[in-house]
Amino acid sequence: MDTAQDHVASSPTFPTAEKKRTHQECEDSHEPRQSSNDFLQSRRHSKAINKKLQRKQRNTRAKLQKSNACVDQVDEEKVGIEKRIMLLQSIIPGGDSLGIDKLFEETALYILALQGQVKAMKFLTSFFETLEKEKSMSKFGG
């Protein structure tokens, strides 16, 4: 007749019972014995390290996203500036063949020349308006 112990020992699904080592055997083999407090502390320490690593990874990802956004923003700004320079070159006479420094100098001179032309036109407009008034007054006999 099979005993329960024979059945467990011969059963392939159950592991065989291992011999438990005594406290003296652990000390004799010089293996460090871990108390439950040490185990809990090491687990807490591991969790803290994992949290720290996860936080660091999130920060790194956020920094990368920021730097990518900054790079994209810088690229967009460069494109915008280049478009404005090309527009300015097309407005300023002879601007297509000028470098940026010379283009800005010519732009300043061109603005001054345009301001002079506006003043001259205003003066001529007021002059002709005055002539027109005098002419209309003389027409009516005034």
Side-chain angles (χ1 to χ4, degrees):
M1 176 174 180
D2 288 335
T3 63
Q5 227 176 11
D6 290 339
H7 182 65
V8 169
S10 65
S11 172
T13 57
F14 296 107
T16 58
E18 293 181 11
K19 178 185 169 190
K20 291 186 178 180
R21 298 189 334 175
T22 64
H23 175 67
Q24 187 62 38
E25 287 174 334
C26 288
E27 284 181 2
D28 289 344
S29 65
H30 300 292
E31 291 179 6
R33 202 171 142 223
Q34 195 174 26
S35 71
S36 62
N37 281 344
D38 290 342
F39 177 74
L40 288 175
Q41 285 178 349
S42 70
R43 264 195 84 154
R44 285 186 199 126
H45 183 70
S46 295
K47 285 182 180 181
I49 289 174
N50 284 339
K51 283 183 181 180
K52 201 175 202 181
L53 284 173
Q54 289 171 350
R55 202 175 314 121
K56 194 172 187 178
Q57 288 172 346
R58 278 194 307 268
N59 289 341
T60 303
R61 265 188 254 124
K63 284 179 185 177
L64 281 174
Q65 288 172 345
K66 266 187 184 177
S67 68
N68 287 342
C70 288
V71 167
D72 291 343
Q73 185 178 1
V74 167
D75 288 344
E76 288 176 15
E77 287 176 2
K78 282 183 181 179
V79 169
I81 291 171
E82 289 173 359
K83 284 182 179 179
R84 290 184 190 121
I85 289 174
M86 289 173 60
L87 179 64
L88 190 58
Q89 285 175 330
S90 67
I91 292 172
I92 303 298
D96 293 330
S97 61
L98 300 175
I100 293 176
D101 293 340
K102 192 68 176 166
L103 178 67
F104 289 147
E105 286 178 31
E106 289 297 317
T107 302
L109 293 173
Y110 190 62
I111 290 170
L112 290 173
L114 290 174
Q115 285 175 340
Q117 289 178 6
V118 168
K119 283 182 184 178
M121 285 196 222
K122 283 181 180 179
F123 176 76
L124 288 173
T125 304
S126 68
F127 176 73
F128 286 119
E129 285 176 353
T130 307
L131 282 178
E132 197 66 36
K133 283 181 185 177
E134 288 178 6
K135 194 177 192 182
S136 66
M137 290 246 227
S138 67
K139 217 182 209 181
F140 293 113

